């Protein structure tokens, strides 16, 4: 795999790299939105017992813990994945950024989907707030030109010279 980064035949356009990462983020946000709305609709057509509603309190604690752990874990992973490739070739740094982005988005997407499923199981509307929080966290990681440049510590000149 390391040989791929050394090859002179590989070239990447920064705009296409950015567009692919944005599509990944859009797909994750769409999945959280769709799951939340479908589960909300299904929840509104059901009747719940008191036991199921009380079980929702346990689910709330679990879901909040998962989203908090995801937040902490993504901060930790940035130091391990992106910062570890500071002196690497540019393509390797882009790959590290994409891996970090996919992991971050996947953790938050998991918390959002869990909230939708827990909402359906327990009938508690509070899980919509957790889904919105997960959606907001995915949106905060949404890649744009400035975010990629600052995360990788790049200048415009490095982008032009490194990718051509």
């Amino acid at each position: 795999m390391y040989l791929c980064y050394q090859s002179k035949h590989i070239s990447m356009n920064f705009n296409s790299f950015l567009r692919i990462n944005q599509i990944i983020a859009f797909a994750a946000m769409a999945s959280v939105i769709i799951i939340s709305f479908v589960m909300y609709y299904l929840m509104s057509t059901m009747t719940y017992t008191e036991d199921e509603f009380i079980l929702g309190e346990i689910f709330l604690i679990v879901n909040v813990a998962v989203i908090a752990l995801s937040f902490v874990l993504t901060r930790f992973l940035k130091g391990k994945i992106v910062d570890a490739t500071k002196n690497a070739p540019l393509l390797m740094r882009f790959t590290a950024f994409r891996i970090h982005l996919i992991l971050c988005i996947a953790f938050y997407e998991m918390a959002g989907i869990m909230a939708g499923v827990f909402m359906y199981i327990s009938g508690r509307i509070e899980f919509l707030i957790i889904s919105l929080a997960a959606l907001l966290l995915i949106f905060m990681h949404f890649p744009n030109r400035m975010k990629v440049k600052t995360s990788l510590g790049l200048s415009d000149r490095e982008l032009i010279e490194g990718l051509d």
Side-chain angles (χ1 to χ4, degrees), residues 93-154:
R93 292 166 72 186
F94 278 160
T95 304
F97 178 83
R98 181 173 288 162
I99 290 169
H100 175 256
L101 177 74
I102 290 172
L103 287 174
C104 290
I105 289 174
F107 285 134
Y108 298 136
E109 183 182 19
M110 173 189 64
I113 291 173
M114 279 177 62
V117 171
F118 287 162
M119 178 175 52
Y120 174 70
I121 292 172
S122 67
R124 295 182 72 108
I125 198 74
E126 294 92 348
F127 287 106
L128 272 180
I129 296 169
I130 297 174
S131 290
L132 289 175
L135 194 62
L136 180 67
L137 287 168
I138 293 171
F139 186 72
M140 286 174 51
H141 278 81
F142 190 80
N144 58 29
R145 184 176 200 77
M146 186 57 73
K147 192 173 290 185
V148 173
K149 284 173 45 180
T150 56
S151 291
L152 297 177
L154 298 174

Side-chain angles (χ1 to χ4, degrees), residues 22-120:
Q22 289 173 343
I23 290 170
I24 292 168
F26 275 130
M29 289 190 304
S31 70
V32 170
I33 291 170
I34 290 169
I35 293 290
S36 297
F37 281 126
V38 167
M39 294 301 173
Y40 177 76
Y41 172 74
L42 293 174
M43 178 196 76
S44 66
T45 62
M46 295 183 61
T47 56
Y48 292 93
T49 64
E50 185 68 28
D51 291 338
E52 291 168 333
F53 194 74
I54 292 172
L55 184 63
E57 292 178 13
I58 296 169
F59 288 157
L60 274 170
I61 294 168
V62 168
N63 207 186
V64 168
V66 166
I67 203 164
L69 184 63
S70 297
F71 183 79
V72 170
L73 195 57
T74 57
R75 299 289 181 230
F76 173 75
L77 286 177
K78 184 177 188 302
K80 294 295 180 185
I81 296 173
V82 175
D83 295 343
T85 60
K86 282 189 183 213
N87 298 324
L90 194 55
L91 288 175
M92 185 178 266
R93 292 166 72 186
F94 278 160
T95 304
F97 178 83
R98 181 173 288 162
I99 290 169
H100 175 256
L101 177 74
I102 290 172
L103 287 174
C104 290
I105 289 174
F107 285 134
Y108 298 136
E109 183 182 19
M110 173 189 64
I113 291 173
M114 279 177 62
V117 171
F118 287 162
M119 178 175 52
Y120 174 70

